[in-house]
Amino acid sequence: MLLVDVLVLEGASAASVAITFELIAVANGIRARAGRPSCFDVRISGSGARWATRLARLSSKEVASRPADVVIVPGLAWMDEQLIREGLQRRDAETARKALQAAFRSGAEIASSCSAVFLVASAGLLDARRATTTWWLAPLFRNLFPKVMLDTDAMVLTDGSVTTAGAAMAQLDLMLSIIARHAGPDLADSCARFLLLDQRPSQSRYMALSFLAAADERVSRAERWARARLHRTFSISELAKAVGLGARTFARRCERATGLSPVRFVQKLRIDKAMELLETTRLSLDEIAERVGYADPSMLRKLLHRERTPGARASRAGRKREKSAAPSRTSAKRPPAPHRRPSVGAGRKGSKTA
């Protein structure tokens, strides 16, 4: 049986801790109902162990003292720069770092989400690895841990024996990935269906670029300039010049502040606006494409597909059903708006515009 050590610091996110135990319990419960043995045994450690044990409703029986197979660090309630810097200096954080390093040396898989990824990174376990964390903490993370290859577009990333996940509720995705890897994808799928969980492969649609851009005053100005001109095409050089920077300097600062290249930065602004129009208007996709600067609607279709954003159409369809179900004197007289089915689009023309 796989031994999972849940390392909980005092003040950890209650939701993230609860999700960890809930997914383990569901996985073991599904196996039990099928007449099969449990796949996970649980041990709780860290300065918040007593509190977490009560939350998990676990018995106080001794769990084997053998090295853990997986060490999971649930999200921490460190939601801004001050809390993170102070938290990393705590004595229990230093104890946790030593425990993580020892577990890693013994061959354990390390998994964390949200601001807990900062703790794992501070132990040196993410150097030269790809990792993700809460998207709005990305600028600080890059500043503190420049050796880590941060990708905040991803919801869950596994690089070698270390797995990281995004914002606090990404603990769900983290746990499902662990269940899939160690107990099989069928069990992970059963857990997801049991808890009615949807797949969320990317954090990108939840990212607020205004928040990230604020880390650099010039990038923030560029964001405002671009938002006011989304209806037309403009070059990255034109955008950089508008905020008083050279194209290369702007590219470096944009990447550092947002984790995105200038082209992806502008594309993200256009996609966000397109999603807003899809969800709040009855405009066709062709009309929306024109309003966000794409003369060729297939380009917008391609970007929406790449960002995996079907939610807007589902939302629009839901509103249409609600309107059709509601009594109305004019509903019978007004034909429904035409609905075009998007086709597979072509790629963008050139890389210097977005």
Side-chain angles (χ1 to χ4, degrees), residues 81 136-140 142-143 208-221 223 253-259:
E81 179 174 354
W136 71 81
L137 295 174
L140 174 62
R142 290 191 178 93
N143 183 47
L209 280 191
S210 297
F211 192 101
L212 296 177
D216 186 306
E217 188 270 337
R218 296 291 183 94
V219 178
S220 184
R221 281 170 52 191
E223 183 228 349
R253 292 175 68 158
C254 183
E255 177 78 28
R256 187 167 59 244
T258 70

Side-chain angles (χ1 to χ4, degrees), residues 332-344:
K333 299 178 182 180
R334 183 179 299 170
H339 180 75
R340 292 186 178 92
R341 182 178 180 181
S343 58
V344 177

Side-chain angles (χ1 to χ4, degrees), residues 6-332:
V6 183
L7 197 166
V8 182
L9 291 194
E10 191 68 42
S13 164
S16 190
V17 174
I19 286 168
T20 302
F21 295 128
E22 183 70 17
L23 265 294
I24 290 173
V26 168
N28 284 340
I30 290 174
R31 295 260 297 197
R33 284 191 289 275
R36 302 176 65 189
S38 297
C39 43
F40 300 107
D41 204 354
V42 180
R43 180 172 68 208
I44 305 176
S45 63
S47 59
R50 182 176 300 179
W51 162 77
T53 300
R54 293 196 301 270
L55 180 66
R57 298 177 182 176
L58 294 176
S59 66
S60 58
K61 67 177 183 179
E62 284 292 324
V63 178
S65 59
R66 65 183 175 87
D69 299 293
V70 181
V71 178
I72 299 172
V73 190
L76 301 167
W78 300 347
M79 305 306 289
D80 58 38
E81 179 174 354
Q82 181 179 347
L83 289 174
I84 287 172
R85 291 185 181 277
E86 291 175 352
L88 292 176
Q89 296 300 316
R90 283 168 31 180
R91 183 177 299 177
D92 60 345
E94 177 59 26
T95 301
R97 275 191 288 272
K98 292 178 180 178
L100 287 168
Q101 291 164 345
F104 184 77
R105 286 193 299 268
S106 71
E109 176 182 339
I110 309 298
S112 62
S113 69
C114 196
S115 51
V117 179
F118 282 76
L119 180 65
V120 177
S122 71
L125 304 184
L126 292 177
D127 288 355
R129 295 180 187 272
R130 295 178 67 230
T132 188
T133 187
T134 301
W135 60 264
W136 71 81
L137 295 174
L140 174 62
F141 190 96
R142 290 191 178 93
N143 183 47
L144 292 178
F145 309 111
K147 295 181 181 179
V148 181
M149 296 179 285
L150 189 67
D151 179 5
T152 52
D153 187 49
M155 190 71 76
V156 177
L157 269 178
T158 297
D159 190 331
S161 58
V162 182
T163 300
T164 55
M169 291 302 103
Q171 187 74 11
L172 287 164
D173 307 271
L174 179 72
M175 293 306 301
L176 288 174
S177 73
I178 290 172
I179 292 169
R181 192 157 51 255
H182 295 287
D186 289 344
L187 181 58
D189 183 62
S190 295
C191 290
R193 285 187 283 108
F194 183 85
L195 295 171
L196 298 179
L197 303 179
D198 294 325
Q199 289 186 340
R200 300 166 299 160
S202 171
Q203 293 190 91
S204 61
R205 69 167 301 191
Y206 308 105
M207 244 178 230
L209 280 191
S210 297
F211 192 101
L212 296 177
D216 186 306
E217 188 270 337
R218 296 291 183 94
V219 178
S220 184
R221 281 170 52 191
E223 183 228 349
R224 295 193 297 273
W225 186 93
R227 283 190 188 277
R229 294 162 178 81
L230 291 180
H231 59 283
R232 69 174 180 85
T233 300
F234 51 82
S235 68
I236 298 303
S237 295
E238 184 181 357
L239 173 59
K241 184 178 179 181
V243 296
L245 295 174
R248 290 185 178 179
T249 301
F250 175 69
R252 287 195 299 270
R253 292 175 68 158
C254 183
E255 177 78 28
R256 187 167 59 244
T258 70
L260 303 174
S261 69
V263 170
R264 288 294 303 277
F265 176 73
V266 176
Q267 285 178 344
K268 175 65 176 164
L269 293 174
R270 296 191 193 280
I271 291 169
D272 286 350
K273 184 62 178 179
M275 289 294 294
E276 177 188 332
L277 293 172
L278 276 169
E279 293 176 346
T280 61
T281 74
R282 295 173 64 85
L283 295 172
S284 69
L285 195 62
D286 287 6
E287 292 170 319
I288 290 172
E290 185 176 354
R291 292 198 181 194
V292 297
Y294 291 117
D296 182 1
S298 65
M299 181 60 193
L300 179 59
R301 293 190 183 100
K302 179 182 179 181
L303 291 172
L304 289 173
H305 177 73
R306 187 182 72 187
E307 296 291 330
R308 298 179 177 91
T309 52
R313 293 197 171 277
S315 175
R316 173 179 283 187
R319 290 199 313 276
K320 286 182 177 180
R321 286 194 296 270
E322 290 174 3
K323 288 180 180 179
S324 64
S328 172
R329 295 180 181 178
T330 60
S331 59

